[in-house]
């Protein structure tokens, strides 16, 4: 059976009933068995948010091995933005897998890679001449953006920000701010990485331009002129921190004035997630280089660096690449993902989800002053939890509300430097009914 009805979201084509259902306790017996096997077979370093194992997913739900149907407020960490196994993506992947799975673009190139580069050059902010290069993961693309910026400027220093998250490889661990769990015990880290203060409206009084001045002072005093500044326009793991208005434009302007490469890490914020195709658009900034991944290909591993032709082409021939980078199946999925976003009006759908969630969460905050802040854009919304009436972080509350939601069949993630942020990243294919049900569960959890 295909559920082709309109749920206030997009038209779905999934056979999964779009309703939360608890068939067993969470986790059920089959998930518990699998978890025991995981413990004996998989390295302990790989944790899981939920204690259940998935068998199917679609629309706004994930079904587990015990027949529980969970509401998905995570999208596999902001990846399945167009809906997991979106119909166009499934068709494109099947067709490409039958044609060829791999030739290596550096050996025998194929059109899909070029077509994805053309789309990225068209869709990213700015009308200047652009080039793109494709990789597998967000971290790999961030590393390559830094390589490109160094090749272009002939400088080495790179600036990252407080609360930043850029990945788990050696250079991106250095760029990432938080020690536990991402860096602890894994050093030494790559040199020539410097950290500047962010704008964090809930926790500092500075307006955007003043916060930018504070950051620029640190950069000028500690480095002079770096090769690049790397920043998430809205921080992801760091707690969905939206900098005060004017912060990003002032920083971008300083980079332009000083010939420093401005790199926007839009790995989490890209591809319609924030109610714009890219979050840079909210303040009209035009990054020199833009890094995308997560939402780019509906779950197939793909990432990209897109930017000014003269910067991108500074890296010598053969200097960029990788065996799997721009895999043909991932490229087919990306083209189908972009088509889905445009055909289904998903940028607007993300804005609708923002309105619905902020309305519900604001009503909740009226009754509960442990919700210190509600923030984010589009379908990237968070609440920061504090001890009642203060700004003191309350990570235990975040953990217990998340645990209560998990037990009742709602997938919700936590984040933030202090671990006190509940973050909501629903797929844009979720129905309003499911969102309301999930918010009812959360309200009861509080
Ligand atoms: C997830 C993330 C990364 C790392 O991407 P991976 O694909 O996990 O390597 C980098 N930057 C940001 C902002 C992210 O959210």
């Amino acid at each position: 059976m295909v559920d082709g009805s309109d749920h206030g979201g997009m038209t779905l084509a999934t056979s999964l009933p779009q309703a939360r259902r608890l068939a067993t306790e969470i986790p059920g017996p089959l998930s518990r068995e699998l978890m025991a096997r995981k413990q004996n077979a998989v390295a302990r370093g790989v944790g899981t948010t939920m204690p259940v194992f998935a068998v199917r997913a679609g629309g706004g739900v994930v079904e587990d091995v015990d027949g529980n149907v969970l509401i998905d407020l995570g999208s596999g960490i902001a990846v399945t933005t167009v809906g997991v196994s979106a119909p166009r993506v499934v068709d494109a992947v099947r067709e490409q897998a039958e044609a060829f799975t791999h030739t290596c673009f550096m050996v025998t190139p194929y059109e899909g890679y070029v077509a994805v580069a053309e789309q990225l050059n068209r869709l990213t902010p700015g009308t200047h001449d652009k080039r793109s290069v494709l990789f597998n993961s967000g971290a790999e693309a961030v590393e390559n953006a830094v390589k490109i910026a160094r090749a272009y400027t002939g400088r080495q220093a790179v600036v990252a920000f407080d609360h930043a998250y850029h990945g788990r490889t050696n250079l991106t661990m250095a760029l990432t701010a938080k020690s536990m769990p991402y860096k602890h015990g894994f050093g030494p880290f790559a040199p020539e990485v410097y950290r500047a203060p962010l704008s964090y409206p809930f926790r500092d009084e500075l307006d955007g331009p003043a916060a930018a001045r504070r950051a620029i002072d640190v950069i000028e005093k500690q480095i002079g002129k770096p090769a690049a500044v790397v920043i998430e326009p809205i921080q992801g793991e760091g707690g969905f921190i939206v900098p005060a208005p004017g912060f990003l434009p002032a920083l971008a302007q300083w980079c332009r004035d000083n010939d420093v490469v401005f790199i926007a890490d839009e790995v989490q914020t890209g591809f319609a997630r924030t109610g714009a195709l890219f979050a840079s658009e909210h303040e009209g900034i035009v990054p020199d280089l833009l890094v995308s991944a997560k939402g780019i290909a509906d779950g197939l591993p793909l990432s990209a660096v897109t930017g000014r032709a003269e910067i991108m082409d500074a890296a010598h021939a053969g200097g960029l690449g990788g065996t799997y980078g721009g895999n043909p199946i991932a490229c087919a999925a990306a083209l189908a993902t972009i088509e889905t976003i445009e055909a289904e009006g998903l940028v607007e759908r993300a804005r609708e989800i923002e309105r619905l969630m902020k309305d519900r969460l604001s009503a909740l905050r009226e009754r509960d002053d442990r919700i210190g802040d509600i923030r984010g854009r589009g379908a990237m919304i968070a609440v920061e939890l504090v001890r009642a009436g203060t700004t003191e972080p309350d990570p235990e509350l975040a953990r217990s509300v998340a645990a209560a939601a998990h037990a009742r069949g709602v997938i919700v993630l936590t984040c933030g430097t202090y671990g006190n942020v509940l973050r909501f990243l629903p797929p844009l294919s979720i129905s309003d009914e499911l969102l309301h049900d999930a918010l009812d569960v959360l309200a009861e959890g509080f």
Side-chain angles (χ1 to χ4, degrees):
M1 188 205 79
V2 168
D3 180 350
S5 58
D6 193 311
H7 292 262
M10 58 200 283
T11 305
L12 301 176
T14 173
S15 56
L16 264 178
Q18 296 296 301
R20 183 167 60 97
R21 184 180 75 213
L22 293 182
T24 68
E25 63 187 338
I26 304 272
L30 295 176
S31 278
R32 281 202 299 272
E33 250 178 72
L34 282 167
M35 197 53 86
R37 278 173 57 194
K38 171 186 177 284
Q39 257 141 26
N40 284 322
V42 179
R44 185 174 71 124
V46 187
T48 73
T49 302
M50 297 292 297
V52 301
F53 283 73
V55 284
R56 259 184 300 274
V61 298
V62 176
E63 185 177 353
D64 79 7
V65 283
D66 292 289
N68 299 297
V69 178
L70 317 174
I71 301 178
D72 184 10
L73 296 187
S75 299
I77 319 188
V79 170
T80 55
T81 306
V82 299
V84 66
S85 301
R88 289 179 184 82
V89 174
V90 172
D91 289 346
V93 163
R94 186 181 291 122
E95 206 174 295
Q96 181 58 47
E98 278 166 6
F100 59 96
T101 54
H102 177 82
T103 59
C104 187
F105 190 75
M106 301 183 303
V107 177
T108 322
Y110 38 87
E111 183 184 352
Y113 188 120
V114 178
V116 171
E118 288 167 347
Q119 291 289 356
L120 286 164
N121 298 348
R122 173 175 74 88
L123 295 169
T124 50
T127 53
H128 49 278
D129 197 17
K130 293 177 205 158
R131 302 283 185 273
S132 287
V133 53
L134 306 182
F135 303 100
N136 303 289
S137 70
E140 192 187 2
V142 171
E143 290 227 4
N144 277 277
V146 170
K147 280 164 62 174
I148 293 164
R150 285 174 170 164
Y152 175 70
T153 59
R155 296 177 225 128
Q156 295 181 348
V158 181
V159 175
F161 284 80
D162 285 337
H163 314 287
Y165 181 85
H166 297 290
R168 296 175 182 265
T169 58
N170 189 262
L171 175 57
T172 57
M173 274 195 296
L175 294 169
T176 291
K178 193 174 177 177
S179 172
M180 197 55 140
Y182 307 121
K183 304 167 73 165
H184 179 79
F186 298 150
F189 305 112
E192 287 307 307
V193 172
Y194 298 82
R195 196 161 308 284
L198 188 74
S199 162
Y200 190 161
F202 181 61
R203 297 193 173 277
D204 69 36
E205 320 73 51
L206 299 182
D207 66 14
R213 185 64 354 247
R214 176 176 65 180
I216 290 162
D217 269 353
V218 168
I219 297 169
E220 287 178 337
K221 296 282 176 323
Q222 292 190 11
I223 310 159
K225 258 192 206 198
V229 165
V230 187
I231 190 162
E232 301 154 81
I234 300 173
Q235 283 194 331
E237 303 296 313
F240 287 19
I241 303 164
V242 184
F247 177 78
L248 292 169
L251 203 60
Q253 184 61 47
W254 180 84
C255 287
R256 213 161 23 251
D257 294 345
N258 290 277
D259 202 21
V260 171
V261 178
F262 183 92
I263 303 174
D265 179 348
E266 292 236 24
V267 168
Q268 191 152 161
T269 52
F271 288 93
R273 174 55 58 185
T274 69
L277 215 38
F278 293 97
S280 296
E281 295 167 32
H282 293 294
E283 286 204 82
I285 57 170
V286 178
D288 297 313
L289 301 181
L290 186 148
V291 183
S292 45
K294 291 197 167 93
I296 191 174
D298 201 26
L300 277 92
L302 187 71
S303 64
V305 182
T306 300
R308 293 183 190 284
E310 66 275 18
I311 301 177
M312 294 293 295
D313 285 339
H316 51 274
L320 303 177
T323 307
Y324 298 118
N327 167 274
I329 300 176
C331 286
L335 295 170
T337 296
I338 292 164
E339 196 188 317
T340 303
I341 290 171
E342 294 189 325
E344 305 276 348
L346 291 186
V347 169
E348 178 49 34
R349 177 62 186 151
R351 291 193 202 132
E352 277 170 22
I353 289 175
E354 171 175 353
R355 286 191 287 272
L356 186 157
M357 296 210 55
K358 283 188 170 168
D359 282 354
R360 289 289 313 264
L361 293 167
S362 302
L364 193 56
R365 179 162 64 166
E366 309 250 296
R367 294 185 272 118
D368 196 331
D369 56 2
R370 294 171 302 170
I371 298 178
D373 195 22
I374 301 168
R375 59 178 179 250
R377 293 188 202 271
M380 183 173 180
I381 302 292
V383 290
E384 176 157 0
L385 306 182
V386 293
R387 295 195 206 289
T390 71
T391 57
E392 196 190 325
D394 193 346
E396 293 79 23
L397 179 62
R399 258 196 303 278
S400 66
V401 174
H406 296 166
R408 299 202 47 207
V410 176
I411 302 171
V412 59
L413 312 175
T414 58
C415 67
T417 295
Y418 312 104
N420 65 328
V421 176
L422 289 174
R423 59 165 153 174
F424 311 115
L425 292 161
L428 302 179
S429 53
I430 198 169
S431 68
D432 288 355
E433 290 80 357
L434 281 176
L435 277 176
H436 280 298
D437 186 29
L439 285 157
D440 289 342
V441 168
L442 279 168
E444 285 158 27
F446 275 98

